[in-house]
Amino acid sequence: MAVMADGAAVPEEARPRPEAPPGRRENAGPAPARPARGLSRWARLRRDRSLLLMIAPAMLVLLVFAYLPMFGTISAFEYYDPIYGFFHSNWVGLKNFTDLMADPAFWHAFENTLVLSLVSLVLYFPIPVALALLLNTVISTKLRSFIQAVVYLPHFFSWVLVITVFNQMLGGAGLLNQFLRQHHMATWNIMSSGSAFKYLVTFESVWKEAGWGIIVFLAALAAIDPALYESAAVDGASRWRRMWHITLPGMRGMIVLMLVLRLGNALNVGFEQMLIQRQAVGAQHAEVLDTFAYFYGIGNGNFGYGAAAGLFKGIISLILIFAANKMAHKFGEDGLYRK
Amino acid sequence: MSSTNAFTRRGFLAASAGAAGAIGLSPLLAACGNNGGKGGASTKAAIQAVLPTYKPLSGGVTPDIPSVPGTNGAMTDPGFLKYPSTLPKTVTGQVGSGGRYAGVAPSWNPVPPAGNSYYEAVNKALGATFVSQPANGNTYNTVIPPLIAADKLPDWLSIPGWLNPTFDTGGLVGTKLADLTTYLGGDAVLEYPNLAAIPSGGWKCGIWNNRLYGIPSQTDSLSFAGAIYYRKDLLDAKGITPNVKTAQDFEALGREINNPGGGVWAFDDMLVYLYQVFKVPLGGWYLENGKIKNVGEHPAMLECLAWANKIAKAGLVHPDAIAGVNTSNPSRFMAGKVYIEAGGMAGLSGPDAKNGTAGKAGYQRALFPLFSSDGSTPSIGLGGSSGWMSYLNKNLNPEQIKECLRIANFFAAPFGSFEYNLLNYGVEGVHYTMGPEGPVFTKEGSNTAADGIFGFFSTAQTAVYNAGYPDVTKAMEAWCADAAKHAYKPMFWNLNISVPSQFSKTAAQTELWDATQAVAHGKQPVSYYQDAYSRWKSGGGDALGTWYQQNLIDKGLS
């Protein structure tokens, strides 16, 4: 509700409406869909059959690979043994969870997961946004395409290759340390440094994924009406002003959405990346929930225990994503869905 | 001990370096019965009762270097300096009865196309269809559990010893896998002469819960976790002839040759192979005054860790080894980036010599003679006689089981026999041609016959043969003959133990192993290991020791 100069509220119907530009209808969007209330269910199905057919494979994939496997979480409540299967393994109730809660190794893995996730959130998340903004300022299409291709490329490398490259550069026998040795300076094996590990893995993630991460932000940028920039430029707005008042608000919804999704994935800090580097820095620095479930569950043949760790992680992630979504709604954004 | 190029274990030993350590660390072939509840092991009397009768083959190829006996039943494998010119047949009569069987085994080689000319040739000789289904060896631990869960086990399944805990082999036998006692126990095995010629140690590894289930492959009478190697050519160039008698000598040698500024380090990661040097009891457990104790309590373990920690902190170990970059481990040694490394016995082999000399003329790998940290008489623990077993599906009927055992008998043909040649090289002119140094694969053979998959289901006692490199065979045989004199059997040697499910996490010792590595790599002090060990003990280690004491030691089962 608008407010008058004296503080009194202006009734909605009394507010002046902006005049539509000549030659354009006030509401230039597509004609509203015909109310479906009058149609039978069969008629609606017939009407939407193309759309339904299009989403059917995706729903099937979701059902088969996401929802049906959820039945397997029952193993978290059993001494699951593949020989006896889900229905005949010993039922232990919450014992796997109580054991988990009493296991210092689990809490250590949980702590590492949170720390790595936090560092990644602070240091990694802004970088794709900044890269997208920078790339958006490049006028030459050819140059922009080239830069895009270069920053996308590492995404297609496996973690083994990425870490090998880093090891060749920063490892104890890598280029950096050989240079330091040859100049009689103290060496620093960054790849084996426990204290540097959280920054190292974030740096690796930035190098590998930041380029790929800019795609959605570039899409958001592309959706901003260029006329707004032209109008702002005519009004004398500098580049910074245009970015602050047009670009960033245009991306805000996408940034919040990505942040919500990121928080939902906060406990996924990269299984393969940690697994490969676990020996380099030791479990005390690299053990995260995923590797814990792998080593203490699958590795020991203790599937129920691993499943309990996985389920715990899933529940915390769910809570995080709903909390983040609620925050997004409080700030007036859509988040995962429109309220 | 093994080293053949016909069916080399180098590939999968290299691919599973951790497994070698695991075998050395933990009670051999230990498994956790999730639903078994009580757990246990076979008794000595029952093992003797079901053990197949050993009867060596007669009329086979005579080795150039015969087996040499050592102590505690150790005996070197026979050595061949050249490939036999005549290939005697060891299997007569009909093998198969037209049956069709699917066999799943791990493979670290490219998977050949199904139904290829090599498989067809083998099936023709078998008189049955053996559908070989190689699975990725690196992910084998994840391939089999779904098959178990879905009750889709193949007719014939190969299980590496170190995956027994993962697959719960102690639970699978009897419920999903066939009991072969009546078919192979005692003199019954004599119906299958090649199987009867497999040394008894191999068969012991196939006994679970007092019954015989497994068919051994790659059986050795002298199985060691590994040895310590050095680059003889590089040390020769420096005018150094290693004369290492103690850990102090070893460290001094390391300090002399270490040159990080030149990009060359003295040592690679050697932790589990240092156990032999420091006389850490193999198998993870030892007896003291009739009481079972864990190796973490043994003073030798702390000495070993302290030494490893010292050399790592002194910068004598290649940084990539400390960083756990093991994929490039063989290349570090071959490229001359480290002078000394440790690894499985297949390290000294024809393929190694071939690859090494291809990279650098004059490349020469040599073995350090056994030594102990304090200069006393060295000792070396025997590993399991067979690290690989294959099992038949319980759903097979008796006639099918007998047919499979006749096929296993064919697979177990000894080195140099007609059957061995067919299984390892295929058909002459099609899959290989006979060169001066033995069979050489044709292009067709390389694509179809080089996966060595049949060797995962049953093989004869291992023979040492390195095509074109007789000196390598001689060096290996000489080292083994010396080592055999110092061999001892660990407490649970060749014994399959099912640990009750409540001890599965404790028995795996994951945290303890992590702490061991952190100390050995110089990242943590020895006290870090001691703290981890105390936590392990109070967190279940003591209870597990009590279980071993009551169920294995006090009952006289070990």
Side-chain angles (χ1 to χ4, degrees), chain A residues 80-81 167 278 280 284 296, chain B residues 34 168 320 511 514 523-524:
Chain A
Y80 174 72
D81 188 329
N167 194 55
R278 190 173 180 270
Q284 68 271 32
Y296 290 80
Chain B
N34 261 349
D168 188 13
D320 286 355
E511 289 170 82
D514 288 337
K523 297 188 182 90
Q524 297 288 348

Side-chain angles (χ1 to χ4, degrees), chain B residues 52-60 88-95 183-184 186-200 203 215-216 402-415 417 419 458-461:
Chain B
T53 304
Y54 174 64
K55 187 180 176 190
L57 268 185
S58 57
K89 282 196 170 188
T90 62
V91 179
T92 53
Q94 192 182 1
V95 180
Y183 303 96
L184 295 173
D187 288 346
V189 77
L190 298 178
E191 195 177 330
Y192 313 97
N194 286 337
L195 294 181
I198 295 174
S200 297
W203 289 108
I215 304 167
K402 285 178 183 172
E403 187 177 9
C404 285
L405 291 178
R406 290 197 298 275
I407 293 171
N409 184 60
F410 190 95
F411 289 164
F415 176 83
S417 65
E419 297 84 6
S458 173
T459 56
Q461 177 182 4

Side-chain angles (χ1 to χ4, degrees), chain B residues 27-47:
Chain B
L28 199 68
L29 301 170
C32 301
N34 261 349
N35 267 34
K38 291 178 182 174
S42 305
T43 66
K44 279 181 179 175
I47 290 173

